[in-house]
Amino acid sequence: SIDLTEAKMRGVDISEARINGAKLIRADLTDAICGNTDFTDSELNGAIMVNVKCFNANFSGVMLRAGRYNGADFEGANFDHGWLQYAEFRGTRFVNARIRFASLDDSIVNNADFSGADLTGTGLMNSIGLDTTRLSGAIYNSQTAFPARFKPTTYGMIKGP
């Protein structure tokens, strides 16, 4: 696998790249363009991906723990079975993203946009700022874990199977 630990990749365009299984631990991808990039099973723990444009990228099975992804655009991206705990997602766009059976536990999601996202079976326990996010049309099910007293239908979420 590719080892890009602590790589400085600010502003790079890696659209359409296949870097699945890569180690991007603490890498700095601020302002990068990653449209349709395949990050499957990569490790991005501690990465800085502020203001990235990663529409339709594949992050399935990825570890994104304790990183900064503020202002990122992950529209249509796939985060199924991803580990996104203890990370910062302030103002991040997850519009129509697939985030099924993933973990966003203990992450900061202030003003993030999950409109139309599929959050089936995803953990959102102790997420900070969940009450400030846009969740209209987002899908959840009985396995989706919310903080105590959080009412998904109040935010326009749709219960799925």
Side-chain angles (χ1 to χ4, degrees):
S1 72
I2 301 168
D3 190 345
L4 295 168
T5 298
E6 297 185 359
K8 305 296 182 222
M9 301 171 64
R10 289 176 157 252
V12 298
D13 185 343
I14 54 173
S15 296
E16 309 288 336
R18 292 180 182 264
I19 52 177
N20 45 310
K23 288 187 179 180
L24 290 149
I25 300 163
R26 296 180 305 281
D28 185 353
L29 285 99
T30 299
D31 297 318
I33 301 170
C34 315
N36 296 303
T37 300
D38 185 359
F39 290 97
T40 303
D41 297 324
S42 292
E43 190 174 347
L44 288 104
N45 291 335
I48 301 168
M49 294 180 76
V50 174
N51 297 323
V52 295
K53 307 290 182 247
C54 292
F55 48 89
N56 300 318
N58 189 352
F59 290 94
S60 60
V62 166
M63 289 186 231
L64 289 160
R65 293 181 180 129
R68 289 185 294 165
Y69 311 95
N70 301 320
D73 188 349
F74 294 121
E75 183 169 354
N78 178 355
F79 289 92
D80 287 355
H81 302 280
W83 300 92
L84 294 81
Q85 303 104 318
Y86 308 104
E88 295 177 23
F89 296 101
R90 290 180 178 98
T92 301
R93 293 186 75 239
F94 291 102
V95 175
N96 298 319
R98 287 177 33 172
I99 314 171
R100 298 177 305 178
F101 303 101
S103 176
L104 277 157
D105 296 324
D106 300 294
S107 287
I108 300 168
V109 295
N110 293 78
N111 300 308
D113 188 350
F114 289 92
S115 301
D118 187 348
L119 297 167
T120 300
T122 292
L124 295 157
M125 297 300 294
N126 302 317
S127 292
I128 298 166
L130 191 60
D131 59 334
T132 69
T133 61
R134 287 177 288 290
L135 292 159
S136 178
I139 300 167
Y140 72 99
N141 70 357
S142 60
Q143 293 176 300
T144 306
F146 295 105
R149 296 182 300 281
F150 184 83
K151 304 284 186 236
T153 53
T154 301
Y155 295 90
M157 295 184 76
I158 301 166
K159 187 164 186 179

